[in-house]
Amino acid sequence: MSDADRTDGSPEPVTDLLATTPATAYFWGRVAGDGELTENCVTVRTGDETAADALAAVAGADRADHRVAARESAHDASIVRFEDEYELQVVGTAAERASAALGLPIDGQPGGYRFDAFSEHRAELVRGLLESCGTVCFRESPASVGVSFVHDDAALLRTVRSLLDAAAPHAPTDDLSETSSGGYWFGLADDADVAAFAEWVYAGSDESGLYSAARRRKLRRSVERATASEVGELSE
């Protein structure tokens, strides 16, 4: 099934979260970027209601819990923002199976991050990672778009860089650096075609429902400001 196979804008539950589908690729990308695994529970967080509903639908779970959370800036720990946060928990064997099959860290153990199973659904996987541990900004002076990925686990970010290196269109990246808060980050290189990346990573998202409305909108508007042109809804 491709991302464009869905036409009603609402993802359907999957019978097996470890099956290789666009929906599971997006789901595990979000878990890897902003979630955690314990022995019998998968937890994933999002600040967007659209994404929360999509994740709950994919997992066949009740709607995620909602609260307002304080979040430190990934690049500057002195900056704290208060944002909506939705948290979804999936109880059962999916956590142990995902740890074994995908190399996701469980109970605080190091992760190996093996995403080869999702090679046919790389855009959805990267979309989940972008929305969960990525940042987008418009740079006023050079009139360009900055896209970066931030996480406490350098191994995950090295995996994300490999995914982008193998993507079509190719998205060159800078080297990993440390953040002031003790994590790691990297960004798309200055010569990366961010408009092409944006269109690729959100292709088919409107039909599938697998996206964060807020994050997609921010990336679209940033690209349009930088290119002085319309890039559409980043969904076709």
Side-chain angles (χ1 to χ4, degrees):
M1 181 179 72
S2 71
D3 218 17
D5 288 336
R6 301 281 298 143
T7 58
D8 61 3
S10 175
E12 292 183 344
V14 297
T15 56
D16 182 359
L17 280 174
L18 270 297
T20 54
T21 71
T24 54
Y26 177 76
F27 181 87
W28 292 114
R30 299 233 39 154
V31 172
D34 193 4
E36 57 193 17
L37 276 60
T38 58
E39 183 178 354
N40 65 347
C41 184
V42 176
T43 300
V44 58
R45 290 171 289 270
T46 174
D48 181 90
E49 186 175 15
T50 304
D53 287 344
L55 294 169
V58 170
D62 293 333
R63 184 188 171 100
D65 290 337
H66 175 228
R67 65 190 179 101
V68 176
R71 289 201 173 214
E72 292 181 353
S73 168
H75 294 287
D76 187 347
S78 67
I79 299 175
V80 178
R81 299 183 179 89
F82 292 90
E83 302 175 344
D84 287 330
E85 182 176 273
Y86 299 84
E87 184 175 277
L88 175 72
Q89 293 189 325
V90 181
V91 178
T93 62
E96 287 188 315
R97 293 176 62 218
S99 177
L102 305 177
L104 298 184
I106 186 169
D107 289 329
Q109 298 300 311
Y113 301 106
R114 299 182 297 273
F115 292 133
D116 291 348
F118 298 123
S119 59
E120 296 299 315
H121 311 298
R122 186 174 284 111
E124 292 84 5
L125 176 63
V126 172
R127 187 189 310 156
L129 289 160
L130 174 67
E131 293 181 353
S132 56
C133 66
T135 63
V136 176
C137 66
F138 177 73
R139 300 165 175 164
E140 290 284 353
S141 179
S144 63
V145 182
V147 176
S148 60
F149 293 80
V150 187
H151 203 271
D152 290 339
D153 192 345
L156 173 62
L157 294 184
R158 285 193 290 268
T159 300
V160 178
R161 290 186 71 209
S162 296
L163 290 169
L164 294 174
D165 186 59
H170 171 59
T173 63
D174 296 324
D175 293 335
L176 251 62
S177 300
E178 292 189 24
T179 69
S180 61
S181 56
Y184 303 88
W185 75 281
F186 74 88
L188 297 190
D190 289 341
D191 60 345
D193 187 342
V194 179
F197 168 78
E199 292 177 351
W200 169 77
V201 81
Y202 278 104
S205 58
D206 201 43
E207 292 84 359
S208 70
L210 302 170
Y211 69 97
S212 158
R215 299 304 300 276
R216 189 178 74 174
R217 182 167 55 249
K218 183 174 183 180
L219 181 56
R220 176 198 175 194
R221 289 177 176 174
S222 296
V223 170
E224 288 182 341
R225 290 180 68 188
T227 60
S229 62
E230 292 288 332
V231 296
E233 292 293 335
L234 300 183
S235 62
E236 298 178 355

